[in-house]
PDB file of all heavy atoms in Angstrom:
ATOM      1  N   ILE B  26      53.302  44.892 101.999  1.00 89.00           N
ATOM      2  CA  ILE B  26      53.353  46.353 102.074  1.00 89.00           C
ATOM      3  C   ILE B  26      52.855  46.967 100.769  1.00 89.00           C
ATOM      4  O   ILE B  26      52.033  47.881 100.750  1.00 89.00           O
ATOM      5  CB  ILE B  26      54.780  46.835 102.363  1.00 89.00           C
ATOM      6  CG1 ILE B  26      55.180  46.438 103.810  1.00 89.00           C
ATOM      7  CG2 ILE B  26      54.911  48.342 102.198  1.00 89.00           C
ATOM      8  CD1 ILE B  26      56.651  46.656 104.117  1.00 89.00           C
ATOM      9  N   LEU B  27      53.370  46.458  99.627  1.00 84.00           N
ATOM     10  CA  LEU B  27      53.002  47.046  98.346  1.00 84.00           C
ATOM     11  C   LEU B  27      51.528  46.858  98.013  1.00 84.00           C
ATOM     12  O   LEU B  27      50.947  47.666  97.267  1.00 84.00           O
ATOM     13  CB  LEU B  27      53.870  46.399  97.247  1.00 84.00           C
ATOM     14  CG  LEU B  27      55.356  46.807  97.256  1.00 84.00           C
ATOM     15  CD1 LEU B  27      56.141  45.985  96.239  1.00 84.00           C
ATOM     16  CD2 LEU B  27      55.512  48.292  96.993  1.00 84.00           C
ATOM     17  N   ASN B  28      50.940  45.804  98.561  1.00 82.00           N
ATOM     18  CA  ASN B  28      49.530  45.576  98.298  1.00 82.00           C
ATOM     19  C   ASN B  28      48.648  45.992  99.447  1.00 82.00           C
ATOM     20  O   ASN B  28      47.437  45.743  99.441  1.00 82.00           O
ATOM     21  CB  ASN B  28      49.299  44.073  98.011  1.00 82.00           C
ATOM     22  CG  ASN B  28      49.896  43.620  96.688  1.00 82.00           C
ATOM     23  OD1 ASN B  28      49.335  43.876  95.596  1.00 82.00           O
ATOM     24  ND2 ASN B  28      51.054  42.984  96.744  1.00 82.00           N
ATOM     25  N   GLY B  29      49.254  46.647 100.427  1.00 80.00           N
ATOM     26  CA  GLY B  29      48.534  47.004 101.648  1.00 80.00           C
ATOM     27  C   GLY B  29      47.793  48.341 101.512  1.00 80.00           C
ATOM     28  O   GLY B  29      48.105  49.181 100.688  1.00 80.00           O
ATOM     29  N   HIS B  31      47.685  51.274 103.217  1.00 77.00           N
ATOM     30  CA  HIS B  31      48.371  52.083 104.227  1.00 77.00           C
ATOM     31  C   HIS B  31      48.233  53.587 103.967  1.00 77.00           C
ATOM     32  O   HIS B  31      48.526  54.387 104.861  1.00 77.00           O
ATOM     33  CB  HIS B  31      49.836  51.709 104.309  1.00 77.00           C
ATOM     34  CG  HIS B  31      50.491  51.490 102.967  1.00 77.00           C
ATOM     35  ND1 HIS B  31      50.627  52.513 102.038  1.00 77.00           N
ATOM     36  CD2 HIS B  31      50.973  50.385 102.370  1.00 77.00           C
ATOM     37  CE1 HIS B  31      51.174  52.009 100.946  1.00 77.00           C
ATOM     38  NE2 HIS B  31      51.404  50.704 101.122  1.00 77.00           N
ATOM     39  N   GLY B  32      47.829  53.968 102.786  1.00 77.00           N
ATOM     40  CA  GLY B  32      47.627  55.371 102.502  1.00 77.00           C
ATOM     41  C   GLY B  32      48.908  56.200 102.408  1.00 77.00           C
ATOM     42  O   GLY B  32      48.845  57.426 102.379  1.00 77.00           O
ATOM     43  N   LEU B  33      50.064  55.550 102.360  1.00 81.00           N
ATOM     44  CA  LEU B  33      51.326  56.253 102.286  1.00 81.00           C
ATOM     45  C   LEU B  33      51.891  56.204 100.877  1.00 81.00           C
ATOM     46  O   LEU B  33      51.695  55.218 100.146  1.00 81.00           O
ATOM     47  CB  LEU B  33      52.345  55.625 103.250  1.00 81.00           C
ATOM     48  CG  LEU B  33      52.115  55.816 104.743  1.00 81.00           C
ATOM     49  CD1 LEU B  33      53.099  54.984 105.537  1.00 81.00           C
ATOM     50  CD2 LEU B  33      52.214  57.269 105.152  1.00 81.00           C
ATOM     51  N   ASN B  34      52.609  57.239 100.488  1.00 82.00           N
ATOM     52  CA  ASN B  34      53.322  57.252  99.222  1.00 82.00           C
ATOM     53  C   ASN B  34      54.715  56.684  99.494  1.00 82.00           C
ATOM     54  O   ASN B  34      55.646  57.401  99.868  1.00 82.00           O
ATOM     55  CB  ASN B  34      53.398  58.684  98.700  1.00 82.00           C
ATOM     56  CG  ASN B  34      54.130  58.763  97.343  1.00 82.00           C
ATOM     57  OD1 ASN B  34      54.533  57.731  96.802  1.00 82.00           O
ATOM     58  ND2 ASN B  34      54.312  59.962  96.854  1.00 82.00           N
ATOM     59  N   LEU B  51      47.584  47.017  90.398  1.00 62.00           N
ATOM     60  CA  LEU B  51      48.236  48.176  90.972  1.00 62.00           C
ATOM     61  C   LEU B  51      49.295  48.758  90.037  1.00 62.00           C
ATOM     62  O   LEU B  51      49.690  49.931  90.197  1.00 62.00           O
ATOM     63  CB  LEU B  51      48.923  47.790  92.307  1.00 62.00           C
ATOM     64  CG  LEU B  51      48.020  47.270  93.411  1.00 62.00           C
ATOM     65  CD1 LEU B  51      48.880  46.873  94.614  1.00 62.00           C
ATOM     66  CD2 LEU B  51      47.016  48.350  93.827  1.00 62.00           C
ATOM     67  N   LEU B  62      53.215  52.557  90.826  1.00 74.00           N
ATOM     68  CA  LEU B  62      51.998  51.845  91.212  1.00 74.00           C
ATOM     69  C   LEU B  62      50.827  52.796  91.357  1.00 74.00           C
ATOM     70  O   LEU B  62      51.012  53.970  91.780  1.00 74.00           O
ATOM     71  CB  LEU B  62      52.220  51.105  92.536  1.00 74.00           C
ATOM     72  CG  LEU B  62      53.409  50.107  92.539  1.00 74.00           C
ATOM     73  CD1 LEU B  62      53.551  49.500  93.931  1.00 74.00           C
ATOM     74  CD2 LEU B  62      53.210  49.043  91.502  1.00 74.00           C
ATOM     75  N   LYS B  63      49.662  52.335  91.115  1.00 71.00           N
ATOM     76  CA  LYS B  63      48.469  53.198  91.125  1.00 71.00           C
ATOM     77  C   LYS B  63      48.140  53.666  92.541  1.00 71.00           C
ATOM     78  O   LYS B  63      47.446  54.661  92.729  1.00 71.00           O
ATOM     79  CB  LYS B  63      47.292  52.454  90.516  1.00 71.00           C
ATOM     80  CG  LYS B  63      47.418  52.184  89.022  1.00 71.00           C
ATOM     81  CD  LYS B  63      46.237  51.416  88.483  1.00 71.00           C
ATOM     82  CE  LYS B  63      46.410  51.124  87.009  1.00 71.00           C
ATOM     83  NZ  LYS B  63      45.281  50.331  86.451  1.00 71.00           N
ATOM     84  N   ASN B  64      48.560  52.902  93.572  1.00 67.00           N
ATOM     85  CA  ASN B  64      48.244  53.309  94.930  1.00 67.00           C
ATOM     86  C   ASN B  64      49.203  54.315  95.508  1.00 67.00           C
ATOM     87  O   ASN B  64      49.202  54.607  96.682  1.00 67.00           O
ATOM     88  CB  ASN B  64      48.163  52.080  95.820  1.00 67.00           C
ATOM     89  CG  ASN B  64      49.501  51.368  95.987  1.00 67.00           C
ATOM     90  OD1 ASN B  64      50.458  51.747  95.351  1.00 67.00           O
ATOM     91  ND2 ASN B  64      49.554  50.362  96.814  1.00 67.00           N
ATOM     92  N   GLY B  65      50.089  54.859  94.634  1.00 69.00           N
ATOM     93  CA  GLY B  65      50.997  55.908  95.084  1.00 69.00           C
ATOM     94  C   GLY B  65      52.384  55.427  95.415  1.00 69.00           C
ATOM     95  O   GLY B  65      53.284  56.237  95.619  1.00 69.00           O
ATOM     96  N   CYS B  66      52.584  54.106  95.476  1.00 76.00           N
ATOM     97  CA  CYS B  66      53.909  53.578  95.789  1.00 76.00           C
ATOM     98  C   CYS B  66      54.786  53.654  94.533  1.00 76.00           C
ATOM     99  O   CYS B  66      54.346  53.555  93.405  1.00 76.00           O
ATOM    100  CB  CYS B  66      53.825  52.139  96.219  1.00 76.00           C
ATOM    101  SG  CYS B  66      52.872  51.882  97.716  1.00 76.00           S
TER     102      CYS B  66
END
Side-chain angles (χ1 to χ4, degrees):
I26 292 171
L27 290 173
N28 291 282
H31 42 65
L33 291 173
N34 181 2
L51 298 177
L62 305 176
K63 293 178 182 178
N64 65 356
C66 299

